[in-house]
Amino acid sequence: MSTTQSDRLRALLEPLVAAKSLDLEDIELSKAGKRRMLRIIVDSDEGVELDACAELSREISDQLDESDAMGDDEYVLEVSSPGADRPLTEHRHYVRAIGRLVKFQLSGEGEKGAGELVARILDVDDEGLDLEVPGVKGRKATARRIAFTDIAKARVEIEFNRKDKKEEEA
């Protein structure tokens, strides 16, 4: 998608998304056979419910029909949440991942060098993250601090057997 079209779509849709107290995470336009696929990714601190996506989809569709942002060609509109495998790229993504296990690719600019790290996010501030690195082979977990500038990539790890906070407090 051209930057100009992306910018036009973002300017057109961001107010609709913000009115629902959601963040416009991404706009993707791709070919799907003879049609185009317009995928709008939204999120919030509380997550996004299916009903909210459906309602927002109707509003976005109406807005796009009233404008010429998509031209005359057919397209399929999809409004969804980012999913669990989304890369963490914004400060708010890390805040939303507090308590989650994350796989980091480190850039090597920090004191401990490049490499891979799997750790649980405990806290986030403007400069970086406080982490808990799980212990290996019966050892205790250790604390670690990394700066945002040391992170090349980060992605939440899916945990199938982890108890949620409500179960832990019971």
Side-chain angles (χ1 to χ4, degrees), residues 86-89 94 102-105 151-156:
R86 169 210 38 213
L88 305 178
T89 57
Y94 291 99
V102 175
K103 183 181 213 176
F104 297 94
Q105 294 292 327
I151 301 170
K153 293 181 184 178
R155 190 176 303 266
V156 170

Side-chain angles (χ1 to χ4, degrees), residues 108-150:
E109 296 171 16
E111 62 187 57
K112 299 212 178 183
E116 191 173 277
L117 172 67
V118 177
R120 191 168 308 282
I121 297 177
L122 300 177
D123 196 21
V124 179
D125 60 32
D126 291 340
E127 286 81 40
L129 312 168
D130 291 322
L131 307 174
E132 178 184 71
V133 181
V136 180
K137 297 182 182 178
R139 293 186 179 161
K140 289 187 176 183
T142 56
R144 180 159 176 195
R145 171 89 179 160
I146 59 174
F148 287 118
T149 56
D150 297 336

Side-chain angles (χ1 to χ4, degrees), residues 1 4 6 16-17 30 32 41-42 50 58 62 66 69-70 80 101 103 109-110 121 131 145 150-151 155-156 169:
M1 172 169 53
T4 306
S6 176
L16 286 175
V17 173
S30 60
I41 310 295
V42 296
L50 185 60
R58 286 188 290 275
D62 291 344
E66 291 173 11
M70 290 299 293
S80 67
L101 199 62
K103 183 181 213 176
E109 296 171 16
I121 297 177
L131 307 174
R145 171 89 179 160
D150 297 336
I151 301 170
R155 190 176 303 266
V156 170
E169 293 170 358

